[in-house]
Amino acid sequence: MISSLPTWLSQAPEPPAPGFKAPSGEDFNIPPMFEGVPVLEYVDKPVIQLIFSVVLILAFFTIATRSAQLLPGRTQWLAEKFHVLVRDSIARDNIGPEFRKYVPYLVALFAFLLVNNLFGIIPLIQFPTFSHPGMAYALAILTWLIYNIVGIRKQGFGGYIRLMTWPPGVPGWVRIILTPIEFLSNILLRPVTLAFRLFGNMFAGHLVLLLFVFGAEYMLLIADSVLLNVLSVGSFAMALIFTGFEAFIQLVQAYIFTILTASYIGASLADEH
């Protein structure tokens, strides 16, 4: 006769008590909005946000310039100040005498980055587009193509490679060491670092914001503890404070990406490296 199993083996394990699940990279995996539909199956929330941002920016500048006045109204004034900021503080200071032809692109780039970054704190959207790495790398590759094409057209292919990889005023034996480093830094790795800086800041900032919001929700609505219910107020307060801080970071990252783009263009047009 086979003896019965011990009690500790025969009983099914109890399910783990529900607890707080910290936000992670999985929260950034957004499924397609039109799954199974040809072509549209690749359209997800970040793609929709990119399109929406373009519509918003076009609408804003169209309204601002449609009936421009000598004494500008609020919308025209805001558009002019935005244009002047990019023209004088970014393009002129970093590109040099040929800066004017690049101002339209830099204005559009700054506006595009700013709107998509601020989507991370706008209710009902609450997702910074460039926290998706593919979006950040696509924009960085566009910058990479622009400054390399501009440099090759100005310097010629050989002259441009020499400009980017041969530091002037250093001994020949030092150039042997520095040339591969300069090539990697100036030609190959710039789009990687440019994209990673933007993506990393948007991803990390949104992750911390989710931590405070989900933590407050758990402590108030799920946790069976009066102490945690009370502490949820502090978590909500931190979420509000960090929302303001995140808005500042989103603005700064849009500015940094734009100013680096301008500096790369300026370096590719320079007579000496």
Side-chain angles (χ1 to χ4, degrees):
M1 181 176 179
I2 301 175
S3 61
S4 59
L5 293 173
T7 305
W8 64 273
L9 284 177
S10 61
Q11 291 179 345
E14 296 182 0
F20 174 66
K21 182 181 181 297
S24 64
E26 295 179 359
D27 295 289
F28 293 80
N29 294 330
I30 300 177
M33 301 181 68
F34 307 97
E35 191 170 1
V37 181
V39 182
L40 294 181
E41 62 183 344
Y42 300 105
V43 176
D44 55 9
K45 184 177 179 179
V47 173
I48 296 296
Q49 289 180 194
L50 291 176
I51 297 171
F52 184 48
S53 68
V54 172
V55 173
L56 286 178
I57 294 167
L58 284 175
F60 171 75
F61 282 104
T62 299
I63 293 172
T65 59
R66 182 173 52 188
S67 55
Q69 303 292 328
L70 185 61
L71 184 62
R74 293 180 180 178
T75 305
Q76 182 184 339
W77 178 87
L78 183 59
E80 289 178 355
K81 289 298 181 182
F82 189 87
H83 180 274
V84 169
L85 170 68
V86 176
R87 184 192 66 194
D88 295 345
S89 300
I90 298 178
R92 189 197 305 272
D93 292 345
N94 291 277
I95 296 179
E98 302 179 53
F99 75 96
R100 292 186 182 278
K101 65 175 70 174
Y102 302 102
V103 170
Y105 173 71
L106 294 174
V107 169
L109 177 65
F110 190 21
F112 184 67
L113 283 161
L114 183 58
V115 170
N116 279 281
N117 286 353
L118 290 175
F119 279 157
I121 60 171
I122 294 178
L124 303 180
I125 299 178
Q126 294 174 314
F127 185 83
T129 310
F130 293 109
S131 63
H132 194 295
M135 304 299 177
Y137 279 103
L139 196 61
I141 288 172
L142 179 60
T143 289
W144 181 82
L145 288 173
I146 289 174
Y147 80 76
N148 278 299
I149 291 173
V150 165
I152 291 172
R153 290 179 61 182
K154 172 71 180 293
Q155 315 288 351
F157 183 79
Y160 177 68
I161 296 299
R162 181 181 178 86
L163 177 70
M164 292 289 105
T165 61
W166 283 64
V170 298
W173 67 271
V174 177
R175 284 187 176 182
I176 295 175
I177 300 173
L178 288 182
T179 294
I181 298 174
E182 291 288 303
F183 181 81
L184 286 173
S185 175
N186 296 330
I187 304 296
L188 297 183
L189 295 182
R190 274 183 178 177
V192 177
T193 57
L194 192 63
F196 189 76
R197 183 184 296 106
L198 176 62
F199 155 71
N201 279 278
M202 294 302 99
F203 180 87
H206 196 60
L207 195 63
V208 174
L209 190 57
L210 288 178
L211 179 64
F212 285 120
V213 172
F214 290 168
E217 180 186 35
Y218 172 79
M219 288 189 289
L220 180 63
L221 303 178
I222 301 175
D224 188 14
S225 169
V226 176
L227 177 61
L228 289 179
N229 294 156
V230 174
L231 291 177
S232 67
V233 177
S235 187
F236 273 121
M238 287 301 299
L240 292 175
I241 294 171
F242 197 80
T243 296
F245 178 71
E246 184 64 8
F248 173 73
I249 296 299
Q250 289 162 350
L251 170 62
V252 169
Q253 288 303 313
Y255 183 82
I256 289 174
F257 193 103
T258 308
I259 202 169
L260 285 176
T261 297
S263 68
Y264 294 160
I265 293 172
S268 68
L269 294 173
D271 293 329
E272 294 185 0
H273 185 48

